[in-house]
Each structure stands twice: as structure tokens, then as C-alpha cells.
Amino acid sequence: MRVPKPGKTGLQTPEIRLRRPRAADALAMHRVAEATEVLDLNSTYAYLLWATDFADTSIVADADGELVGFITGHRPPPRPDVLFVWQVAVDPSAQGRGLGSQMLDGLLARVLADRRGQPVTVEATVAPGNAHSRALFGGFARRLRVPLVEHEHFTADLLAADGGHEDEPILRIGPIAEPPN
Ligand SMILES: CC(C)(COP(=O)(O)OP(=O)(O)OC[C@H]1O[C@@H](n2cnc3c(N)ncnc32)[C@H](O)[C@@H]1OP(=O)(O)O)[C@@H](O)C(=O)NCCC(=O)NCCS
């Protein structure tokens, strides 16, 4: 899948390619996560696992060989109809121009195709203070015209002993039978 590259103009017509991650992307995924200054930073090893064993439920945005965004996801074993979106990251230089939404739509379309018509429910936990993330998932539910419901899930005490982490309530979006137009 190819989309216009955000934030660059000039003689070239640069493109962003949305594709499955591969092992060689792990270091760049770690770099982009760190650059957001918002996400919990995982080890390079964790990104390597996601870029390999969980590549079918993850996506990266590749701008002429430079990784500018990614989504890591998985299918929770007890809920096989769910695509759990773990981290969504867009490099700060490319934020606010639709790339996060395009990655989410692209990943959903791929997972739906892999499920051969069986519906998918997207889950993600989002801290109350993360306005950009809430806007991302709110817009996603509106484009798909499906319900978005929120429940308490991972509470702050489970995430940090010193109170240094917000609650992570869960958003459930769906069920979704078809990708957005
Ligand atoms: C959250 C994030 C992935 C969104 O990616 P993005 O490419 O910037 O988002 P998009 O341009 O696709 O916009 C998605 C929605 O957010 C809104 N939005 C984007 N930037 C915004 C901003 N600065 N302020 C308010 N809303 C904003 C858009 O209007 C859009 O809403 P819509 O669909 O109703 O029009 C990106 O900002 C990011 O990497 N943030 C840091 C990491 C993070 O918080 N990740 C999410 C938690 S896992």
C-alpha cells in the first residue's frame, strides 16, 4: 500500500509504503517509539519479536527506506476475534497528517482479509490524558460507523509502583466486518 509522504515537497514524489515489519526494522521501531516522548519504551528485543512473530498483526510506514511510523498488534489467545493494538507511533516530524489513521486502516484491512470475512473487534488501551490517541481511535470508529465503548482495564497501580503511570482503560471498537472506504 502506498500513500503520499507527509511533510515533504519538492521535485521528487516521495511515497510512504505501508507493509509488514521485518527483523531489520526493530532498531528503527525502537527509535521512533523513543522519539514520540510519550510511549512506554520497550526493549529492542520486544520490537524484534513484534517485527517477526507478530508481523501479521503489525504494520510499518516506510518512507524511501526510512521508518516513520509503526503499529504493533496481536490477537489475544482468549479472544481470537480481536486485533489488540498495543503501540501506535508516528515520528513527530510526520504527526497530524493522517499517517496514524492510514496505518490503522491498512492494518485492519489486512487482518480482515486474513480472516476471510469474519468480523474483527479492535481493542486498545488509552490513557485518559492521551488526546492524540483518543482522537485517532475516535476517528477510526467514526469512519467505520461502528460503536466505540470504554471500560476500566489496566489500572495505574498495575503499571507503576510510584503512581507515575496513568490508568489504561480499554477501548473496544467494533465488531467490524469491512474495511473503511
Ligand atoms: C497518536 C498518533 C499515533 C496519531 O498519529 P497521527 O499520524 O499524528 O494521527 P492522524 O494525523 O492520523 O490523526 C488522527 C486523528 O487525530 C487528530 N489529531 C492529529 N493530531 C492532532 C493534534 N495535534 N491535536 C489534536 N488532534 C489531533 C486528527 O484530527 C485525527 O482525527 P480525525 O480522524 O477525527 O480527523 C501520533 O500522534 C503519535 O505517535 N503520538 C505519540 C505516541 C502515542 O501517543 N501513541 C498512541 C498510544 S499507543
Side-chain angles (χ1 to χ4, degrees):
M1 182 177 185
R2 289 181 179 276
V3 296
K5 185 173 184 172
K8 294 221 176 165
T9 56
L11 295 175
Q12 297 170 325
T13 38
E15 284 181 331
I16 291 184
R17 191 160 72 92
L18 302 184
R19 59 168 174 80
R20 282 177 174 74
R22 42 187 181 245
D25 294 319
L27 285 171
M29 291 166 75
H30 184 275
R31 175 181 50 73
V32 171
E34 189 168 29
T36 68
E37 298 183 350
V38 173
L39 291 175
D40 289 343
L41 186 62
N42 299 301
S43 67
T44 307
Y45 196 99
Y47 291 109
L48 188 51
L49 274 185
W50 248 261
T52 53
D53 287 349
F54 297 91
D56 284 348
T57 48
S58 302
I59 194 165
V60 295
D62 179 337
D64 296 335
E66 183 193 351
L67 198 136
V68 291
F70 70 83
I71 297 176
T72 47
H74 75 290
R75 288 217 186 97
R79 304 189 300 288
D81 59 319
V82 165
L83 168 64
F84 186 94
V85 171
W86 182 19
Q87 288 194 317
V88 187
V90 173
D91 188 85
S93 66
Q95 287 179 9
R97 299 184 179 110
L99 184 56
S101 302
Q102 286 163 350
M103 290 195 298
L104 205 46
D105 291 357
L107 179 58
L108 171 70
R110 174 159 27 97
V111 169
L112 278 171
D114 288 349
R115 284 176 57 77
R116 297 174 202 283
Q118 292 186 68
V120 172
T121 295
V122 170
E123 291 182 350
T125 69
V126 179
N130 193 335
H132 293 183
S133 185
R134 285 180 174 268
L136 176 78
F137 288 109
F140 180 65
R142 278 195 301 279
R143 281 196 300 286
L144 290 157
R145 297 189 177 86
V146 296
L148 180 159
V149 293
E150 180 168 350
H151 299 288
E152 186 177 294
H153 195 58
F154 295 141
T155 49
D157 57 304
L158 300 173
L159 290 155
D162 62 358
H165 205 295
E166 282 189 273
D167 286 341
E168 290 272 349
I170 194 163
L171 308 183
R172 300 194 87 237
I173 302 165
I176 306 161
E178 289 181 12
N181 297 321

